Amino acid sequence: MAATHTLTTRTRAGTITGIAALAFLAVAVILPAFASRSLIQDLFFILTMLTLAQFWNLLAGYSGLVSVGQQAFVGFGAYMLFAATILWGVNPVAAILLSGVFALLLAIPTAFFAFRLSGAYFAIGTWVVAEVVRLTVAQWQAVGGGTGTSLPRDARDAMWGVTWIEAAFDVRSSAARDILAYWLALALAAATIGGIYWFLRTRRGLALAALRDNVEAAKSVGVDAARMKWIVFLVAAFGTGIAGGLIFLQNGRISPDSAFAVTQWTAFVIFIVVIGGIGTIEGPIIGVLVFFMLQELLADFGATYLIVLGCLGIVIMLFARRGLWGLISDRTGVQLFPVRRRLIAPARGPAGQTDEGGGHND
Amino acid sequence: MIWIDTIVQGVLLGGLYALFAAGLSLVFGIMRLVNLAHGDLIVMGAYLILVVVSVLGLNPFVAALVAAPVMFSIGWVLQKAVLNRTLGDDILPPLLVTFGLSVVIQNSLLEGFSADSQRISMGPLETASVAVGPVTMGLLPLLTFGSAIAVIVGLNQIFYRTAIGRAFRATSDDPVTASLMGIRPDRVFATAMGLALVVATIAALYLGTRSNFDPYVGPARLIYAFEAVIIGGLGSLWGTLAGGIIIGVAQTVGAAINPEWQILAGHVAFLIVLLVRPRGLFPRAVD
């Protein structure tokens, strides 16, 4: 009898989300055929910020690793893309992968130092490492030192697929490069969300959720907390590095101050996750949309925009700790990306009813 | 001989960093709160002193005396109204709320005072110096170092000799039991934050007179302060001074080798200490 019980994470909302996501992806892929260039650029911004937010959420929301130093990986990834392109003649599109690899390599010594600090001091430790990397890169004259450099024209023209896009969509090469960057960002965001969703549904993902809910209890049932921390930190660095490479490939220009900007690559990302709802996949998606709308609305007010964003983040952290998605989810019980395992009893079992398994897991 | 001079200047600079760090150390020691807005609160203090100096035409030292009670009140209200709500087992809320606060303070200062760099003028004191043997020391850096020692001695006196100090220690050890003895932890925490901002005002006075500042310099000061606290060992104020001196000496020695290495050398020194003594040089107890 017991053998007929099954564990599942499927829900109806999850299935609907899956179908909607595929439809949305299909529309997003063909969008450059009719969308304006500015819309494509806005979407590129949203997609890359969403990717950064998902990885920060994986760190802070699931693993308790509150890093304030993710700009180290954005900046280092981006700089290695420029170095690979300018110094070693790698095609910029291929160099995006190198961004991720080098960010991953940087993450190993970073983790070695930062993991010696616990809790809040971990945050400062990562920040110090980011500063060290920024100051060191600023000494690297081959990629422009403290003033930075631009992507050379011939490297930009050599980007794979640009000539094809030019012909297919009948656009100039600058617009074609934006479309290419947009597609890459779309692929990156989709792979990130899909990958994290898949990961959270595996055994390791369950271990991660257990650690998030109660570290001691998770350890007591055999979860290797230190190992999970390493895995998550390295994966997040890899993804953040790739996003950094892509962002500055589209930008075409890099400088230490822009590539290692704590406001842009960490503060904004933190606010996106906190406002949307930390510890959920849905949260960063909602957060990035709110963030973009606020930016459009308050773009003319300069510093006021950041003050509003900061206050909103504080209010949400104080009064609705699980963010906007937490509020929606609590009211409706909907989970678009269900990662919670439920025990399904057989139809004619003794209880005859569906049994909820496991603890609180959202 | 130039090296002795470099090291002495570094030690004196360390006094300034210890002043940045003392308030941070105090707040962490009493309520385990890591205040990411501490650097920006110091910068806010510097602007407050600047306003008092320019509006009332007071001497900067007197202006700091005027600013201190204002900063105390700001700290008290901030702790009571906002930060007390974030304390608990979860480390996320205090970090994220103080990080948000940091962004809000920076940009409010930017709105109010523009991005132009400012300086609090001390008149002839800025360039005054004394010669001790082969080394010439600026009077202002000496005064900064003296103030750092005075602040640490003062804070230790408050901790171990006064009723409020006893309340600090009791609440730090166990807030629930302390509240059974008639202590109100929320008010003790608010007082501690107020006191931390008084120390921040003293730090602000020397920050503003020693060099130029603008609304964005807070986070860098915060990092130096944290490095000093961690090198010294959490909870030890004298350790914090030692940590500040290590960062200060590393920076001046780094700058003497190559001016571009100043900041980097400080960070590298911090990472080396972290590698060798993960819990700092003078760790107190397990936190």
Side-chain angles (χ1 to χ4, degrees), chain B residues 204-226:
Chain B
L205 173 68
Y206 294 113
L207 169 79
T209 49
R210 187 186 180 98
S211 61
N212 291 339
F213 60 94
D214 61 57
Y216 293 120
V217 301
R221 312 305 121 170
L222 175 80
I223 291 183
Y224 303 155
F226 266 109

Side-chain angles (χ1 to χ4, degrees), chain A residues 5 8 14 30 32 39 45 66 71 92 102 113 118 131-132 138 145 149 166 175 194 208 220 232 311 321 331 360:
Chain A
H5 281 71
T8 183
I30 55 170
L39 178 66
F45 173 73
V66 186
Q71 69 274 19
F102 278 102
F113 280 108
S118 63
E131 283 297 293
V132 168
T149 186
E166 274 179 59
L208 194 61
S220 74
V232 167
C311 290
R321 213 161 267 192
R331 293 263 157 85
H360 183 66

Side-chain angles (χ1 to χ4, degrees), chain A residues 221-357:
Chain A
V221 294
V223 174
D224 187 344
R227 188 189 155 127
M228 288 306 298
K229 268 166 62 170
W230 270 96
I231 293 175
V232 167
F233 193 76
L234 296 187
V235 167
F238 180 75
T240 305
I242 288 200
L246 183 55
I247 289 167
F248 281 90
L249 174 64
Q250 193 262 356
N251 203 343
R253 213 200 124 61
I254 197 167
S255 71
D257 287 342
S258 64
F260 295 93
V262 65
T263 308
Q264 182 79 25
W265 310 127
T266 296
F268 284 168
V269 165
I270 291 179
F271 289 137
I272 287 172
V273 176
V274 167
I275 290 169
I278 193 162
T280 61
I281 294 177
E282 295 91 339
I285 299 175
I286 306 243
V288 80
L289 296 176
V290 172
F291 170 75
F292 181 72
M293 279 189 290
L294 275 178
Q295 199 176 48
E296 290 291 294
L297 225 61
L298 298 171
D300 300 334
F301 297 95
T304 311
Y305 164 60
L306 283 162
I307 298 173
V308 169
L309 205 61
C311 290
L312 192 60
I314 292 173
V315 166
I316 287 195
M317 214 57 223
L318 289 179
F319 301 108
R321 213 161 267 192
R322 291 172 52 234
L324 293 179
W325 178 252
L327 292 177
I328 297 169
S329 185
D330 285 348
R331 293 263 157 85
T332 59
V334 173
Q335 284 187 306
L336 299 183
F337 296 92
V339 292
R340 181 170 168 181
R341 285 169 167 72
R342 295 173 310 129
L343 190 64
I344 307 295
R348 292 189 299 117
Q353 292 294 321
T354 304
D355 193 15
E356 290 267 321

